[in-house]
Amino acid sequence: DAGVIQSPRHEVTEMGQEVTLRCKPISGHDYLFWYRQTMMRGLELLIYFNNNVPIDDSGMPEDRFSAKMPNASFSTLKIQPSEPRDSAVYFCASSPNRAGGYTFGSGTRLTVV
Amino acid sequence: QKEVEQNSGPLSVPEGAIASLNCTYSDRGSQSFFWYRQYSGKSPELIMSIYSNGDKEDGRFTAQLNKASQYVSLLIRDSQPSDSATYLCAVNPSGTYKYIFGTGTRLKVLA
């Protein structure tokens, strides 16, 4: 298995632009999670899905953030409009069940200037 | 109080020594506990999981869980320079499917 695949690896954008991050989970994994990591706050859960349905989006910072999972093999995290404080590494992770640990993707390093 | 707390370190140990990493959590009903290793610039990698009180060993790694005291620890025996990384503790609070991560402890193994 190729693991959890994220794209792009790096994204540099100007403030106010729309940013879309993409994730392909491991086949057969029913849970998908989006995390954001910064030096100051560590790993923060933004949202997670179970069987393509959003279960908990309480970590989404504000309405500028949205996430979708149109099918079992694809999810997007969108920021519109982007702000410099959104600069972070965004990780996608998937899990086959609620009891097991996650497998993380390689992350997308987002820089908003 | 943070939900999952770890000492940020760095924790420096000589090569061959035992490294002891600790984590405390606030939700007494938490059921699942994990340790992840994260090398600089890389993604977290699962190294240990533990679900019941006591010790769980896997190679050079031992996870210890004490639910009464609400702490979980990770011991690394015969530490190697390649073990130098940040170690993240993750806890699954009761009634949820999500994991809360601590901010991590940076470990440095000195050759």
Side-chain angles (χ1 to χ4, degrees):
Chain A
D1 197 320
V4 177
I5 300 172
Q6 291 186 248
S7 64
R9 289 296 305 274
H10 302 274
E11 177 80 34
V12 181
T13 190
E14 292 186 347
M15 183 174 62
Q17 296 298 306
E18 178 179 293
V19 176
T20 299
L21 311 181
R22 297 172 176 80
C23 175
K24 175 180 169 56
I26 293 173
S27 177
H29 281 197
D30 293 336
Y31 291 86
L32 184 140
F33 305 83
W34 282 100
Y35 278 85
R36 176 172 68 178
Q37 187 174 39
T38 61
M39 289 292 295
M40 292 298 296
R41 300 174 68 89
L43 267 169
E44 299 175 283
L45 177 66
L46 300 176
I47 186 172
Y48 77 93
F49 296 83
N50 177 215
N51 291 325
N52 313 337
V53 176
I55 302 300
D56 184 345
D57 65 354
S58 59
M60 296 285 262
E62 48 201 271
D63 292 345
R64 298 185 297 107
F65 286 69
S66 62
K68 294 181 180 179
M69 191 166 186
N71 56 62
S73 60
F74 184 65
S75 177
T76 60
L77 177 68
K78 185 176 294 186
I79 308 173
Q80 167 63 20
S82 57
E83 296 182 3
R85 60 191 168 120
D86 301 331
S87 297
V89 180
Y90 290 79
F91 286 106
C92 175
S94 70
S95 175
N97 53 58
R98 65 170 294 187
Y102 302 164
T103 300
F104 281 83
S106 299
T108 294
R109 181 173 295 277
L110 174 64
T111 303
V112 183
V113 298
Chain B
Q1 180 186 6
K2 292 182 180 178
E3 294 182 84
V4 180
E5 295 203 56
Q6 297 180 254
N7 188 317
S8 61
L11 172 67
S12 295
V13 299
E15 183 176 358
I18 296 175
S20 178
L21 306 163
N22 299 310
C23 170
T24 58
Y25 60 94
S26 59
D27 186 334
R28 185 170 289 276
S30 298
Q31 296 295 320
S32 306
F33 308 85
F34 305 88
W35 283 99
Y36 286 80
R37 176 177 61 200
Q38 186 175 26
Y39 292 112
S40 180
K42 302 296 185 182
S43 58
E45 172 192 11
L46 178 66
I47 55 173
M48 289 289 288
S49 60
I50 188 165
Y51 305 99
S52 55
N53 279 329
D55 295 0
K56 179 182 178 182
E57 186 174 317
D58 184 0
R60 295 185 298 112
F61 298 100
T62 298
Q64 300 175 317
L65 175 61
N66 184 323
K67 291 186 177 180
S69 300
Q70 295 174 244
Y71 82 80
V72 57
S73 61
L74 179 70
L75 301 179
I76 306 175
R77 291 182 299 282
D78 189 23
S79 296
Q80 301 297 309
S82 58
D83 294 326
S84 297
T86 296
Y87 289 80
L88 302 165
C89 172
V91 176
N92 173 217
S94 58
T96 77
Y97 294 82
K98 61 186 180 184
Y99 302 155
I100 307 299
F101 283 81
T103 53
T105 297
R106 185 178 165 209
L107 173 67
K108 297 175 70 174
V109 181
L110 308 173

